[in-house]
Amino acid sequence: MFTRSLRPPTRSFFLFGPRAVGKSTWLKAHFPDALRFDLLVNETYYALTRDPAAFRSQVLASPKSRWIVVDEVQRIPALLNEVHNLIEDHGRKFALSGSSARKLKRGQANLLAGRASTRSMFPLTREEYGDAASIDDILRWGVLPSVLAEPGARLDILDAYAGTYLREEIKEEALTRNVDGFARFLSIAALASGQVTNLSAIARDAGVPRATVGTYFEILVDTLLGSFLPAWTPRARVKEVAHPKFYFFDTGVQRALAGRLRDSVGDEERGHLLETYVFHELRAHIAQASLGGELFYWRTADRNEVDFIWQRNTKRVAIEVKASRRWRNEDDRGLLALSDTKLAPSQRLGVYLGAQPLQRAFGRVLPMDDFLKALAGGGVLG
């Protein structure tokens, strides 16, 4: 088992994260004596669907100090009304996991009005997996715990992940009626991951209406399979691109959905995959360190670009990622151009696959491993 950085709260909480990132394993490790309801188990799911009152009865019959764990709570959103009352009137503590927020958000579910905090779980970070994988393996196979724990089975695991997502999250939960169209969209969106999102082009290639593509992206965000990275627009001297980018949560899952698992990583995808991985590390660190702020990318019409900008109030950090072992003079361009903006970041960093730290006109360039260690230690966004 990998040691996770997430620490359990002392009060009731939601734990959201995509499937297979280790939520259930983490909950069992930290709450071994909890009363447990796993809504992925059909017997439990159908029993509570038929008789929701049985949930309250079982909770009240357990000792007051005992934690209650509900896995995949989004499958029966009505249980949250009971949870609310049991917290409010009976002082019970709940750990509520979920791999989708869609039914909770769309169904106007009771989100407990501040009586439960929210935590996020991600695939493994460098701090958690240590030396269990090389950067080349990470780009090709991703960092799901089961993939790193069972390298001999990773192809089967990732193939199954894509099928399970379509079958259980999409078809069984009836998130869309056109499963075939959604499957085509998934493949095209995976191929376009890390690029500025062009809904019209994706709609044309997937053979579905443009408005439907917008809905499909909402499904990906709500089921935690990916997230948008908005454009940063600080009113520079030149016109800036304002459309967001979309990134999948894991490089291995992205390649599985794109149908590329059986091929080695090509030059045309390496850069976007490395950005996807760095985006994952940044999001995980921001969440686990409770840093707040927002992540953006920056691009101008004349092709100056910076991959990530973290901003919290007046603090800004810019990060440019290059999937090469040499940092070239032209790689400075985007970070140098940021000095022309009204809100230039106080720290500008380059990250590359080379072996030596470098000093450039804009600031430091760090090898990937040095950057990840500095990030975990609070030396990048702290």
Side-chain angles (χ1 to χ4, degrees):
M1 183 186 295
F2 297 97
T3 300
R4 307 306 300 259
S5 300
L6 182 66
R7 292 292 164 258
T10 57
R11 63 195 295 265
S12 295
F13 65 97
F14 288 100
L15 177 62
F16 288 114
R19 288 212 178 173
V21 296
K23 299 186 298 299
S24 296
T25 300
W26 182 88
L27 287 168
K28 289 174 183 175
H30 287 283
F31 304 96
D33 300 319
L35 175 62
R36 194 170 301 277
F37 298 87
D38 186 351
L39 300 187
L40 284 181
V41 176
N42 283 337
E43 182 180 358
T44 303
Y45 172 75
Y46 288 119
L48 293 181
T49 300
R50 288 192 302 267
D51 183 15
F55 176 75
R56 167 182 284 269
S57 298
Q58 291 181 57
V59 170
L60 291 178
S62 67
K64 189 171 182 180
S65 61
R66 191 181 188 189
W67 276 82
I68 315 301
V69 170
V70 184
D71 264 324
E72 301 299 336
V73 68
Q74 80 281 350
R75 297 202 74 197
I76 311 180
L79 286 184
L80 291 172
N81 293 325
E82 297 290 349
V83 170
H84 188 151
N85 178 263
L86 289 163
I87 293 174
E88 183 79 5
D89 293 347
H90 299 274
R92 298 309 179 105
K93 290 184 179 181
F94 288 83
L96 308 159
S97 82
S99 60
S100 172
R102 189 166 182 85
K103 289 183 76 173
L104 300 181
K105 286 165 44 176
R106 299 293 184 259
Q108 299 181 325
N110 183 342
L111 296 181
L112 309 184
R115 290 165 181 80
S117 54
T118 299
R119 296 292 186 272
S120 297
M121 182 160 280
F122 301 86
L124 294 168
T125 64
R126 172 65 175 82
E127 184 180 17
E128 295 167 337
Y129 68 75
D131 297 322
S134 68
I135 189 65
D136 289 335
D137 279 345
I138 288 165
L139 297 187
R140 182 171 183 178
W141 303 106
V143 283
L144 289 179
S146 57
V147 167
L148 293 189
E150 301 180 70
R154 55 197 179 188
L155 180 62
D156 291 336
I157 291 168
L158 289 166
D159 269 343
Y161 193 104
T164 299
Y165 175 75
L166 282 170
R167 183 178 64 253
E168 296 184 6
E169 292 284 4
I170 303 305
K171 191 171 183 179
E172 290 188 12
E173 299 297 325
L175 298 183
T176 178
R177 295 178 181 177
N178 185 1
V179 178
D180 291 339
F182 186 80
R184 293 194 302 272
F185 157 80
L186 267 181
S187 176
I188 294 161
L191 291 170
S193 180
Q195 303 174 44
V196 175
T197 305
N198 185 329
L199 296 183
S200 298
I202 293 173
R204 182 178 60 251
D205 293 344
V208 297
R210 185 181 186 280
T212 301
V213 168
T215 300
Y216 286 172
F217 271 117
E218 288 179 6
I219 292 173
L220 294 186
V221 172
D222 288 345
T223 57
L224 310 178
L225 209 66
S227 56
F228 281 105
L229 181 67
W232 192 58
T233 53
R235 296 184 298 279
R237 296 177 184 175
V238 293
K239 185 177 180 182
E240 292 152 336
V241 172
H243 296 292
K245 294 182 178 181
F246 184 85
Y247 286 96
F248 282 82
F249 81 100
D250 178 74
T251 56
V253 172
Q254 175 189 325
R255 298 191 82 239
L257 295 170
R260 286 180 161 174
L261 276 182
R262 287 161 178 78
D263 302 318
S264 58
V265 174
D267 292 340
E268 78 285 355
E269 61 175 332
R270 184 176 299 274
H272 293 308
L273 290 172
L274 190 62
E275 289 174 28
T276 298
Y277 173 61
V278 172
F279 187 39
H280 150 65
E281 289 276 357
L282 289 169
R283 291 178 66 230
H285 178 69
I286 289 168
Q288 291 166 5
S290 298
L291 291 180
E294 293 183 80
L295 282 170
F296 304 89
Y297 82 96
W298 182 67
R299 176 186 282 183
T300 64
D302 58 357
R303 295 180 177 266
N304 288 321
E305 183 172 2
V306 174
D307 293 318
F308 304 105
I309 294 176
W310 174 72
Q311 178 171 294
R312 186 185 66 206
N313 298 322
T314 60
K315 186 168 187 177
R316 288 169 292 278
V317 177
I319 301 166
E320 175 67 10
V321 180
K322 295 296 181 185
S324 74
R325 303 192 185 279
R326 286 185 59 243
W327 188 274
R328 303 165 301 176
N329 289 335
E330 53 264 39
D331 296 336
D332 294 352
R333 181 178 170 183
L335 290 169
L336 289 174
L338 274 175
S339 62
D340 289 338
T341 66
K342 287 178 131 185
L343 303 173
S346 56
Q347 182 177 193
R348 288 173 281 179
L349 285 172
V351 181
Y352 79 135
L353 298 181
Q356 298 299 322
L358 306 172
Q359 186 66 41
R360 308 291 293 185
F362 60 80
R364 295 178 297 160
V365 176
L366 296 178
M368 177 61 66
D369 212 45
D370 289 2
F371 167 75
L372 295 176
K373 289 176 182 177
L375 178 67
V380 176
L381 306 181

